[in-house]
Amino acid sequence: MQRIRLRYTKRGRLRFTSHRDFQRAFERALRRAEVPMAYSAGFTPHPKVSYANAAPTGTGSEAEYLEIALTATRDPEQLRALLDESLPTGLDVVDAVEARTSGLADRLTASEWELRLEGVDPAEAERAVAAFNAAESVEVQRMTKNGVRTFDARPAVVDLETRSSTADRPTDQPCAILRLVVRHVTPAVRPDDVLSGLRAVADLAPPVPAAVTRLAQGLFDEETGTVTDPLAPDREAATAHTAGSAAAAKAPA
């Protein structure tokens, strides 16, 4: 059985696609592309697809991951192209590797987000970010199925900073752009929790909902302050396997 790991995006209006809607669209794409899927056992077999840490509905993403199991070997890049053609524009399959290591979900321990705050002056956002970073704790509230839950959002935030917003501005209206790196902890701290924290510590309240996009997801590199590619170990293992096969073919009998 071959396992393929895929990275896909949620762009434009498709950011409002729920995870369940994406699952249905992806399973239709598997059928259209005639992918030789492995299925679960039981009375209602399902394609063996493992989804990992999906972004909340309403947020965009450049770094969503899943893994599929196949009953026949396929070239990862050709499979990626077929699936990408079978999905609507905005749900784009942008990377594929053969799974040669274990624990993809274990490598998704942090996310990098971009938060665009339309109508917010960058200087005001910078003051709010400074107050958040200086705080030892930032208590926020979230409505859950069991009622309102209060928790500290500060420990999960590895980095929060403002970025320049002048390069791609179509209007003269102010816009603050924040870069957020957050660890995946329990309870999960989401971008909207950080926005609630900015409101709590600095009374920052954007006039319109923030446009939130996940830029990366993977292990956090303490030295560089970046979120690393979780598919890199599989690519490295594939390269090592290819090099080993080539060396074995050249060796004298």
Side-chain angles (χ1 to χ4, degrees):
M1 183 181 296
Q2 184 188 35
R3 294 179 297 125
I4 301 291
R5 290 169 177 167
L6 304 170
R7 176 168 70 92
Y8 67 94
T9 71
K10 290 172 61 181
R11 296 168 173 162
R13 296 182 64 182
L14 273 297
R15 70 174 57 217
F16 298 102
T17 303
S18 70
H19 182 56
R20 183 168 295 180
D21 288 337
F22 173 78
Q23 286 178 302
R24 287 194 287 262
F26 186 69
E27 290 187 11
R28 286 195 298 269
L30 291 171
R31 292 192 293 270
R32 290 194 192 103
E34 298 182 345
V35 177
M37 288 296 300
Y39 281 78
S40 61
F43 291 105
T44 55
H46 296 285
K48 286 190 175 182
V49 183
S50 299
Y51 300 92
N53 197 38
T57 302
T59 63
S61 181
E62 295 295 313
E64 300 298 287
Y65 294 92
L66 60 82
E67 180 178 299
I68 59 177
L70 310 182
T71 57
T73 302
R74 292 290 184 270
D75 177 76
E77 176 55 27
Q78 292 180 1
L79 180 64
R80 183 208 65 77
L82 286 171
L83 288 171
D84 187 49
E85 291 175 0
S86 301
L87 284 167
T89 301
L91 298 178
D92 306 317
V93 183
V94 295
D95 201 358
V97 298
E98 182 173 2
R100 293 179 175 272
T101 62
S102 61
L104 173 63
D106 294 336
R107 297 201 289 270
L108 303 180
T109 61
S111 288
E112 177 183 354
W113 300 87
E114 179 187 88
L115 288 64
R116 298 181 66 93
L117 311 181
E118 297 286 348
V120 174
D121 184 87
E124 181 185 359
E126 190 167 354
R127 287 192 294 271
V129 165
F132 186 100
N133 288 332
E136 292 186 3
S137 67
V138 180
E139 286 197 347
V140 299
Q141 292 184 332
R142 182 194 301 163
M143 179 61 72
T144 70
K145 62 182 180 181
N146 296 320
V148 176
R149 180 173 188 175
T150 301
F151 59 96
D152 185 4
R154 183 64 186 88
V157 177
V158 178
D159 189 26
L160 178 62
E161 61 184 13
T162 57
R163 284 184 166 178
S164 172
S165 60
T166 58
D168 60 348
R169 297 299 300 139
T171 71
D172 293 331
Q173 294 298 314
C175 176
I177 298 179
L178 308 184
R179 173 186 179 265
L180 166 69
V181 178
V182 61
R183 295 187 191 276
H184 299 169
V185 297
T186 302
V189 173
R190 304 179 305 206
D192 57 325
D193 297 319
V194 175
L195 290 171
S196 295
L198 290 170
R199 185 182 305 113
V201 300
D203 200 27
L204 181 70
V208 296
V212 180
T213 303
R214 175 148 57 191
L215 303 179
Q217 186 178 188
L219 291 172
F220 180 70
D221 188 320
E222 299 283 354
E223 292 186 2
T224 63
T226 60
V227 177
T228 61
D229 178 9
L231 301 184
D234 296 298
R235 272 190 281 271
E236 293 168 1
T239 300
H241 175 76
T242 301
S245 298
K250 292 180 180 179

